[in-house]
Amino acid sequence: MMADRSIGLWFSVVPVLAGFAVLVLAGVALPLYLVQVGSLLLAAVLVWLGARSKGDVLPGTLQALACLLVLLLGVPLLTVVPADAPAQPLRWLQFGPLQLYSGSLLVPAILVLTAQLLQQPAHQAAACGILLATAVFLALQPDAAQVLALTIAFPLLYLQACRSGDVTGGTPGLLSGLVFLPLLVLCYWTLRQQDGLSAVPYVEGVFALALDYALWAGLAVIASAVIMLLTLYRQSLLDQPWLAAVSVYYAVLYGGSVAGATPAPLIGYGAAPVLGFGLMLALSLWLRQRRLTETAVSE
């Protein structure tokens, strides 16, 4: 039944389970496990709320929510850094003692929302602005891996909107297609910036860490990433088409983590990627529910 198609998304938690194995291999302290468990529980609550949300949505709500997430993405740029401090990227949202990596927390959800906005003629210009603002904030942080993942995922967003427009008559115009050019420019500029952060084995280098321990461990960790990507792509073919771009986004980040250039989402340590994945899935299931409701009403 249509209502049961999202059950397969449970396979997307496999990398989180592999992440705990990576922490064991790295021999980390107990507090790091507690952070992962806490973030996983909070992410599960977000997904639960998203799957059960059936309320009506006012026009422009998706656009307002996307704008709010983009503004939060830019908050780390307001961080006051002492003049004598060494140059460091500005990528973290501070919540008391907890630091959350803004890109991993917010970009997946922004991708889902802009994918939906691009399919609505009245909101296509706003979607373009949201994507460009996201890329600008990421470039200023600077966060080359996130900008690269966003840039590579954009063509799928656009093509998906075109396919939807063939049915609804709201095919994206030239403006939406031209967004790809400034994204490429920002991506090129960001890739040329220096990143002063060193790779951490249980954050970025998780694949190498597992392979160094044993071949079977490395293959298991790699398989967990592949399972998640295939799960998202399969779900995009069923009833959540925006997840195709999300799967590409995560694939790019996994590739970057092999080179130690970015954290490995869900497999590596970090609360933000887990919470960001939960927020993304919550919004995706919420949009799916709205889509099924609208389809039922139209029939």
Side-chain angles (χ1 to χ4, degrees):
M1 297 175 62
M2 278 290 288
D4 300 325
R5 285 186 170 184
S6 63
I7 292 177
L9 283 173
W10 282 108
F11 285 100
S12 62
V13 305
V14 172
V16 180
L17 302 179
F20 285 103
V22 167
L23 294 182
V24 172
L25 295 179
V28 302
L30 178 61
L32 273 66
Y33 292 100
L34 297 179
V35 170
Q36 289 297 89
V37 171
S39 58
L40 179 59
L41 292 176
L42 183 53
V45 171
L46 291 174
V47 173
W48 182 83
L49 291 173
R52 284 157 180 76
S53 178
K54 299 180 181 179
D56 294 334
V57 180
L58 296 174
T61 299
L62 298 183
Q63 180 178 322
L65 181 56
C67 289
L68 175 61
L69 295 181
V70 172
L71 290 176
L72 285 175
L73 185 65
V75 167
L77 298 174
L78 303 177
T79 304
V80 178
V81 181
D84 57 347
Q88 292 288 342
L90 302 174
R91 302 174 187 164
W92 291 273
L93 292 165
Q94 191 76 37
F95 296 94
L98 183 63
Q99 281 188 334
L100 295 178
Y101 176 22
S102 60
S104 289
L105 177 66
L106 301 169
V107 174
I110 292 173
L111 276 173
V112 168
L113 291 172
T114 52
Q116 187 71 5
L117 291 172
L118 279 173
Q119 297 181 18
Q120 304 174 22
H123 297 292
Q124 286 175 4
C128 295
I130 289 167
L131 282 170
L132 286 177
T134 300
V136 168
F137 285 149
L138 292 172
L140 292 176
Q141 288 182 357
D143 195 336
Q146 291 285 337
V147 177
L148 179 63
L150 180 67
T151 302
I152 295 178
F154 174 76
L156 265 181
L157 291 179
Y158 183 77
L159 291 174
Q160 184 60 50
C162 289
R163 286 195 291 269
S164 176
D166 291 339
V167 177
T168 63
T171 303
L174 180 62
L175 174 64
S176 299
L178 290 177
V179 168
F180 191 53
L181 295 178
L183 285 177
L184 284 175
V185 173
L186 285 168
C187 185
Y188 175 76
W189 182 84
T190 312
L191 287 170
R192 292 177 59 87
Q193 306 306 305
Q194 291 186 345
D195 190 335
L197 297 180
S198 300
V200 180
Y202 55 85
V203 177
E204 286 91 357
V206 295
F207 298 107
L209 175 65
L211 285 169
D212 287 343
Y213 176 78
L215 178 61
W216 63 265
L219 292 177
V221 170
I222 293 172
S224 71
V226 173
I227 289 172
M228 187 195 80
L229 298 176
L230 292 178
T231 298
L232 294 178
Y233 182 71
R234 175 183 178 275
Q235 202 66 41
S236 75
L237 298 176
L238 294 177
D239 53 16
Q240 298 171 64
W242 44 83
L243 289 181
V246 175
S247 67
V248 171
Y249 163 84
Y250 279 113
V252 174
L253 294 184
Y254 281 135
S257 71
V258 173
T262 190
L266 307 182
I267 303 176
Y269 168 75
V274 177
L275 292 175
F277 191 78
L279 177 60
M280 181 276 297
L281 275 188
L283 289 173
S284 184
L285 292 171
W286 175 52
L287 291 174
R288 170 186 180 269
Q289 186 63 37
R290 290 179 64 242
R291 188 181 185 191
L292 294 178
T293 302
E294 292 170 356
T295 302
V297 170
S298 64
E299 293 176 351

